[in-house]
């Protein structure tokens, strides 16, 4: 299917476990982003990538790791999950660096850390 | 730093009512301004945008005017429908030699009742 897909849609994990959220896009967009959405904070940027093998920190990167070995995939890993990482995570992509052209968002992954 | 402030929600209106969702911003440069909409269970979608003072963005009956003098970008619609029920996010970006990223407000949940 064309578009941007995130998996899983829902995930419950225990404190201290490693968990990876997947993001796949079919447009060969250069730019990809990970945001977390929390009540009272809106969306905050975790990491972004301008191309394969190029990643950079966003506003709230601590506790997260990303990689981008292929243009179409941008997985987000929580190396040792904490309850404060309970959130809804959105992946987005863009063919251009500028937001002027709009970001395309996935449907999100709701992560609960117990 | 750059930031966006949205009116507190949730907002509940009757069908065909007039809608205003307030958004103000703080930025050191000259931002581009955006409204994104998130329908239940979906990712965010770009609703409209404006890139300079006095520009009006419009889409699906929604409008917003970039007001530099009041640093505002309020979202309006003359007659809302039940299908407009969603969460609305105001956002900004500032050109930084190609390193532009979106900064989001906290979101305003809108519910339209028949």
């Amino acid at each position: 299917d064309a578009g941007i897909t995130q998996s899983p849609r829902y995930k419950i994990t225990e404190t201290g476990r490693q968990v990876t959220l997947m993001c796949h896009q079919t447009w060969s967009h250069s730019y990809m982003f990970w945001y977390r959405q929390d009540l009272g904070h809106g969306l905050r940027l975790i990491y972004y990538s301008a191309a394969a093998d190029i990643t950079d920190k966003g506003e709230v990167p601590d506790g997260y790791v990303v990689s981008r070995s292929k243009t179409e995939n941008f997985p987000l890993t929580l190396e040792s999950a904490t309850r404060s990482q309970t959130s809804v995570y959105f992946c987005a992509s863009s063919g251009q660096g500028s937001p002027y052209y709009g970001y395309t968002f996935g449907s999100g992954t709701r992560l609960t850390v117990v | 730093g750059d930031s966006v402030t949205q009116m507190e929600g949730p907002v509940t209106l009757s069908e065909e009512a007039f809608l205003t969702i307030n958004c103000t911003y703080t930025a050191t440069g000259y931002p581009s301004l955006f409204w994104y909409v998130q329908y239940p269970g979906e990712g965010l979608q770009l609703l409209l945008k404006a890139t300079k003072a006095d520009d009006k963005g419009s889409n699906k009956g929604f409008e917003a005017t970039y007001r530099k003098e009041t640093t505002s970008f309020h979202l309006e619609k003359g007659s809302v429908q039940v299908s407009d029920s969603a969460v609305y996010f105001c956002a900004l970006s500032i050109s930084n030699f190609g390193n532009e990223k979106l900064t989001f407000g906290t979101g305003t949940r809108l519910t339209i009742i028949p």
Side-chain angles (χ1 to χ4, degrees), chain A residues 37 40 45 48 90 100 103 106, chain B residues 36 38 43 49 89 99 101:
Chain A
Q37 182 181 23
L45 183 64
Y48 66 100
F90 286 99
Y100 176 83
Y103 290 177
Chain B
Y36 274 78
Q38 182 183 26
K49 62 190 175 187
F89 291 90
N99 189 27
K101 291 178 286 295

Side-chain angles (χ1 to χ4, degrees), chain B residues 16-84:
Chain B
E16 300 183 1
F18 184 87
L19 168 71
T20 300
I21 299 178
N22 290 338
C23 171
T24 58
Y25 67 88
T26 302
T28 53
Y30 298 97
S32 295
L33 301 172
F34 306 83
W35 277 101
Y36 274 78
V37 57
Q38 182 183 26
Y39 297 106
E42 299 183 10
L44 281 71
Q45 303 174 24
L46 178 63
L47 180 60
L48 54 82
K49 62 190 175 187
T51 58
K52 61 184 186 294
D54 300 324
D55 269 1
K56 178 185 285 188
S58 61
N59 187 23
K60 299 182 180 180
F62 290 90
E63 295 184 337
T65 301
Y66 189 144
R67 301 287 188 198
K68 184 180 176 183
E69 64 276 12
T70 55
T71 62
S72 64
F73 193 55
H74 304 323
L75 183 68
E76 296 181 336
K77 187 175 185 181
S79 177
V80 293
Q81 305 300 314
V82 172
S83 57
D84 294 327

